[in-house]
Amino acid sequence: MLMCPPTYYTVRDVKNPFMRPETPVNRERAAQQWDALRAAFTQSGVDVQIVEPVEDLEDMVFAANQVFVGAGAAHARFIVPSRMRYESRQREVPYYVEWFGRHGFESLDLGLDAKSGEFLEGHGDLMWRPGSNVVLAGHGFRSSEGGVGRFSQAMQPEGIQVVPIRLVDETFYHLDTCLSPLNAEAALFYPGAFAGGSLDVLRGEWKRLYEVTREDALQFVCNGMSVNRHFIASHLSPALERALAIERLEPVCVDVSEFEKAGGSVFCMKNAF
Ligand code: ARG
């Protein structure tokens, strides 16, 4: 797993409906929360690697977005660099590409340049169905439908199936804000975030889907991370606890409220591979 320390983290502009530059980030508390999250991952048996933070890249701490990480038939370990919607976030991408290059990952270029007009935002929108060769691919707000289309084509020789999912509620701007895989068969989801047809697709992909309320979704319960039979999230609710009990996952609560001011929670703060 890869994380980026929040050394330069702040909320500077509005990239999603959660962000309010007039509400200051408490830097000290952010640093403590990030340390606690890293410790929770480590205690769950995860090896956490670090990419160095870069001054002026205030969202670099959200390590889920800069590259998609995959393993396929044509390339054993590869990344697909993102083309981020926002300029400041585009500047984060080369630092992650460099890190993965140094660690033996091949980089696949989809030609997602300014001229293409397409966007693809890594694991914010591209989500593996655990233990499968299927990637669910959200689009509508940050990744574009065309970006997902190009990604889908590039994944064909890898034997990876890409399932496009249309997002319709701008509050849930990334797929990882409204869908959270618990294991190979089960996921949490907030139905109001999805177009009707995409809801049917989701229902076909999972054996068990646990609905969360809008209220819970706004608290980022769908941005938790299931790892080694733990489910790490910043909030718990009775509905979530029931789902976790059925799936035999141990809830681990880690407050990352300082990061939620930027519209990101547990799942956004790491890249797992
Ligand atoms: N402020 C960041 C942005 O809007 C938050 C990203 C959260 N990451 C995520 N995977 N949802 O780009």
Side-chain angles (χ1 to χ4, degrees), residues 184-263:
E185 298 186 344
L188 305 172
F189 81 132
Y190 167 59
F194 299 96
S198 294
L199 272 182
D200 295 338
V201 172
L202 278 183
R203 293 203 170 96
E205 288 293 331
W206 304 92
K207 279 204 183 135
R208 296 180 297 286
L209 270 178
Y210 298 95
E211 217 172 295
V212 310
T213 60
R214 185 177 181 87
E215 209 180 12
D216 277 355
L218 288 170
Q219 307 261 48
F220 291 96
V221 301
C222 292
N223 202 257
M225 173 74 187
S226 173
V227 63
N228 298 333
R229 298 226 148 258
H230 298 87
F231 187 77
I232 304 173
S234 63
H235 298 274
L236 290 175
S237 71
L240 175 59
E241 285 184 292
R242 270 196 303 277
L244 297 180
I246 295 170
E247 299 302 328
R248 300 212 172 109
L249 293 171
E250 186 188 324
V252 178
C253 209
V254 181
D255 177 15
V256 290
S257 48
E258 289 304 319
F259 299 95
E260 291 169 354
K261 293 175 177 172

Side-chain angles (χ1 to χ4, degrees), residues 38 214 265:
R38 180 188 179 170
R214 185 177 181 87
S265 188

Side-chain angles (χ1 to χ4, degrees), residues 159-185:
I160 294 169
Q161 189 200 337
V162 176
V163 179
I165 303 282
R166 183 182 297 278
L167 303 175
V168 295
D169 180 338
E170 68 166 347
T171 301
F172 303 99
Y173 61 98
H174 269 153
L175 184 60
D176 71 4
T177 63
C178 46
L179 179 72
S180 181
L182 299 178
N183 54 46
E185 298 186 344

